[in-house]
Amino acid sequence: MSVRVVARIRPLLKLELDKDSIVTAAPAGNETVGSPTVVRIPNPKNEGEHFSFQFNSVYDQEATQQDIYDYEVAPTVKHLFNGFDTTIFAYGVTGTGKTHTMRGGKSLADRGVIPRLLSSIYRRSRKIEKDSRGSTQVEVAMSYYEIYCDRVYDLFEPPEKRTPSGLPIRDNNGKTVVVGLTERPCTTLKEFEQLYDQANVNRSTSATKLNAHSSRSHAILCVKVTQTTETHTRISTASAIDLAGSEDNRRTENMKDRMVESASINKSLFVLAQCVEAISRKQSRIPYRESKMTRILSLGQNNGLTLMILNLAPVRSYHLDTLSSLNFANRTKKIEVCEVENEPVLRNIKGKLSATANITGSNIQRQ
Ligand code: ADP
Ligand code: MG
């Protein structure tokens, strides 16, 4: 099991163009050039200080959907076809670009990680079938569900047909399964996209019905790849998760429903962060059984790969939430004191960042 944690800072939106970007990407350690691996953010209590958080990689405002896919997700496809499960999370405050990163827009350039991943899975499947002259067959099937207030709802079910208590989960030979979850075969990208779009409509309708914005549920897409030869069958799953917003709702709203939601979101995100940290430190005990989401995903059980994309907004209105996201994803941070404002920062922090402990354990190299 290995885990990679990367940060993506979204660009300023149209309404934010007159605002400052206070969250920036910087190269690590003594480097002044090279791919950024550090996120810098001012200390809200003292603007003369900056906090630095180190990640496996950091994508700045210029990074395209294609960059994220090519550097972070494309390398996982090989592992998937080698029989390992892969899991990709988008973590962050509402409005930071989780859905943009995972699903993206309609145009080719705007497509997010999920349609690109599927496109690549189909391409590779066709190649495997062709190269084996038809003796290997690859089948792709999907399930798509959301976890809201610790209940599991099938996104292929129209909201009016759902049982309010959600689908039960059960242990099956050490693996947790959702009982009664729809699994739909999809043989082409087009078929996948139709099913995915339809399920996303169910997601937004159910959000309205439950009087909750979709940002309060985790949306989990599982793509099962089955490779069959004459002698054996190999099954692996790629999971792509658009997590509930990590903001602290208690700060702004204190209605009872919101408190219940917040408690379950906070708990599951907390357990997720603990799992990611335990995996990255190669600890033998991964607390994945402590939340429904990590349990269903069996996070830590399989010999799989996990990628967590931490989505960040650059503007000041997100300052405290951004800081808590960063603290959550990486509890080891460095403080730099900038004597003079706007002085080139890297000169000040030489030698400090290289000592920053970070989340390691990744075995995927940026290509
Ligand atoms: P979240 O799912 O985290 O709540 P969204 O993905 O809905 O956030 O993003 C909020 C807004 O920012 C949307 O209008 C989205 O199109 C825009 N956005 C997010 N990331 C980017 C990006 N990298 N490039 C351009 N626009 C982005
Ligand atoms: Mg969203």
Side-chain angles (χ1 to χ4, degrees), residues 94-95 97-100 203 213-215 242-243:
T94 300
K98 295 182 297 297
T99 305
H100 180 82
R203 185 171 193 217
H213 193 265
S214 62
S215 66
D242 187 345
L243 288 167

Side-chain angles (χ1 to χ4, degrees), residues 117-164:
L117 174 64
L118 266 294
S119 167
S120 169
I121 288 174
Y122 286 116
R123 229 178 10 251
R124 204 174 181 104
S125 302
R126 296 295 95 85
K127 185 168 186 317
I128 288 172
E129 288 174 343
K130 190 162 165 257
D131 291 353
S132 72
R133 295 212 180 79
S135 73
T136 301
Q137 267 127 44
V138 188
E139 278 158 36
V140 178
M142 69 181 281
S143 49
Y144 193 21
Y145 56 95
E146 63 183 343
I147 301 184
Y148 173 75
C149 281
D150 231 27
R151 296 187 195 122
V152 181
Y153 299 105
D154 191 339
L155 283 169
F156 284 123
E157 285 277 15
E160 59 278 9
K161 286 205 178 154
R162 290 179 174 184
T163 355

Side-chain angles (χ1 to χ4, degrees), residues 10 16 24 32-33 72 82 145 154 190 208 320 340 345:
R10 74 151 163 75
E16 298 169 338
T24 52
T32 47
V33 286
E72 300 299 338
N82 283 339
Y145 56 95
D154 191 339
K190 200 154 177 235
T208 325
L320 293 182
V340 185
V345 185

